[in-house]
Structure formats: C-alpha cells, structure tokens
C-alpha cells in the first residue's frame, strides 16, 4: 500500500505485504528458472528476514529466520527476536536442551522466507507468517538489526558476542561507524558468514 503524509498507517499491513511480495518473487524465480520442479521442497533455499516499521515512537518488527533484533537501552542489550532454527524451536517445544543441541543441522532454519507448496511440479506461494514484535522506544535507545554472521563471529560464544556488540554501540554514537566496527569485529573473528547490519539511534 501507499500512504500519504499525515495519513494513518497500518504497520502490520506494511510488514505482511512486504513479506508476501518478497515470498512471491522467490517462488516466481524458481518457477521461471527451474520447472518442472521435481526435487524436495527443502532444496529451495529459504532466507532470513527482518522488517522494522518505526512510527510515532513505536517499533513494529516482523521476523523470520535467525537474524536478530536487539534493543540497546543504557548499558543493557536485549534480544527482541527468537531464532527460528531447530535448536531454539525444539527447546521452546520442551525438548531437553542437551537433546536439542545434539540435533544434527540444528542451526538449520525451521521458519524462513520462501514458503510454498508444490502443485503439478510448480511452486505456489504461501503467505509467510512472521513473528511480530511491537515495543516503544525512547530517546537514547538504539535498535540493531543483524544477521547471524555478526553473532556467530563477534565473540567466542553468543554471550561474548553480545558483550562485544554492546561495547561498540556504547563507544560509537555514529550508526555508520558503529556498523563498520561491528563488521570488522566479526571479520576479525573469522567472518565465516554474511554480515548484514542496520542500526537506528533514537535522539
């Protein structure tokens, strides 16, 4: 949809429309280049996605996959999203942590963008169903959107990564420079995955 300045907006509609359009483009690409589709549906690559709509001091966030959104407020860094991988979703489904972490390919996406069913060897798009998070922000807050390439390589483990990320966010006020510092941090840690970062500071 299109909105005029001053017109009320529907943040949920914006998120669902964006994700549905992106999903349809993935399906259309496969149909245009790989028909007749005779493989396993899991052979079609899915992707992680975060969409944030910021309006009147409120963030509405749509999330699929294992990219993460963090809110930094003062000296705290809170993870907003839930990772949609087999490890995390198994634990949330009451599987014992040690059993869940022993799953082969536990980091594989259990929910993602790229949802469809196959009919007559052709993909048919299914509208994605993201997690939706909605929260107010205040002056001094920072919103960080990042792929797992940052979390996985910014420290020896997830907690160390989050400590290192928080240190950079506290030390560098410029969002562009903070993004660069975070990318350099992950690259110094091995840089074994794509690193996508978006930072919004509320002043």
């Amino acid at each position: 949809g299109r909105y005029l300045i001053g017109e009320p907006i529907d943040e949920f509609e914006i998120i669902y429309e964006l994700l549905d359009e992106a999903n349809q483009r993935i399906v259309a690409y496969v149909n245009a280049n790989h028909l007749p589709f005779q493989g396993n549906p899991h052979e079609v690559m899915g992707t992680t996605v975060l969409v944030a709509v910021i309006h009147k001091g409120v963030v509405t966030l749509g999330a699929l996959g294992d990219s993460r959104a963090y809110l930094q407020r003062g000296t705290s860094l809170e993870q907003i999203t839930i990772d949609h991988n087999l490890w995390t979703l198994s634990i949330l489904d009451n599987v014992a942590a040690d059993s869940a972490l022993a799953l082969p390919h536990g980091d594989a996406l259990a929910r993602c963008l790229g949802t469809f069913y196959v009919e007559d060897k052709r993909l048919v798009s299914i509208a994605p169903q993201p997690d939706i998070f909605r929260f107010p922000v205040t002056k001094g807050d920072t919103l960080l959107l990042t792929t797992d390439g940052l979390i996985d390589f910014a420290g020896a483990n997830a907690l160390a990564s989050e400590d290192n990320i928080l240190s950079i966010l506290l030390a560098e006020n410029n969002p562009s420079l903070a993004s660069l510092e975070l990318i350099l941090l992950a690259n110094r840690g091995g840089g074994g995955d794509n690193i996508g970062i978006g930072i919004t500071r509320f002043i």
Side-chain angles (χ1 to χ4, degrees):
R2 297 288 184 266
Y3 294 92
L4 300 175
I5 293 175
E7 181 182 6
I9 70 169
D10 185 330
E11 297 94 328
F12 299 93
E13 181 182 44
I14 291 170
I15 290 170
Y16 283 112
E17 282 187 358
L18 285 172
L19 295 187
D20 189 37
E21 180 179 341
N23 198 72
Q24 289 183 42
R25 289 186 181 189
I26 292 171
V27 167
Y29 178 86
V30 175
N31 285 336
N33 294 280
H34 300 285
L35 290 189
F37 182 75
Q38 297 175 301
N40 187 308
H42 296 293
E43 293 174 5
V44 176
M45 183 177 289
T47 186
T48 183
V49 63
L50 289 174
V51 177
V53 180
I54 303 166
H55 184 62
K56 293 187 175 179
V58 175
V59 175
T60 307
L61 184 73
L64 276 170
D66 58 1
S67 291
R68 291 183 179 183
Y70 287 92
L71 181 66
Q72 179 245 316
R73 176 171 289 168
T75 57
S76 70
L77 185 69
E78 178 185 359
Q79 181 180 339
I80 303 298
T81 52
I82 298 168
D83 295 348
H84 293 150
N85 56 39
L86 295 178
W87 285 326
T88 303
L89 295 184
S90 295
I91 291 170
L92 291 175
D93 201 30
N94 294 318
V95 174
D98 55 349
S99 298
L101 294 174
L103 287 170
H105 310 295
D107 58 344
L109 295 183
R111 295 176 60 197
C112 60
L113 192 63
T115 54
F116 60 89
Y117 63 91
V118 179
E119 185 176 87
D120 297 327
K121 300 181 181 178
R122 184 178 186 87
L123 273 57
V124 180
S125 178
I126 299 174
Q129 297 299 312
D131 284 346
I132 300 289
F133 304 88
R134 190 170 166 86
F135 52 93
V137 286
T138 189
K139 182 178 179 180
D141 286 352
T142 297
L143 178 66
L144 168 66
L145 308 182
T146 180
T147 60
D148 60 338
L150 174 62
I151 306 304
D152 291 346
F153 294 94
N157 53 49
L159 289 177
S161 288
E162 290 175 354
D163 285 345
N164 293 337
I165 290 165
L166 178 58
S167 294
I168 287 174
L169 292 177
L170 291 173
E172 179 51 71
N173 288 323
N174 184 307
S176 296
L177 294 178
S179 296
L180 177 59
E181 288 292 334
L182 291 172
I183 291 169
L184 292 173
L185 172 68
N187 281 334
R188 285 193 299 268
D193 201 352
N194 294 328
I195 307 162
I197 294 172
I199 294 177
T200 301
R201 292 203 183 273
F202 299 92
I203 57 175

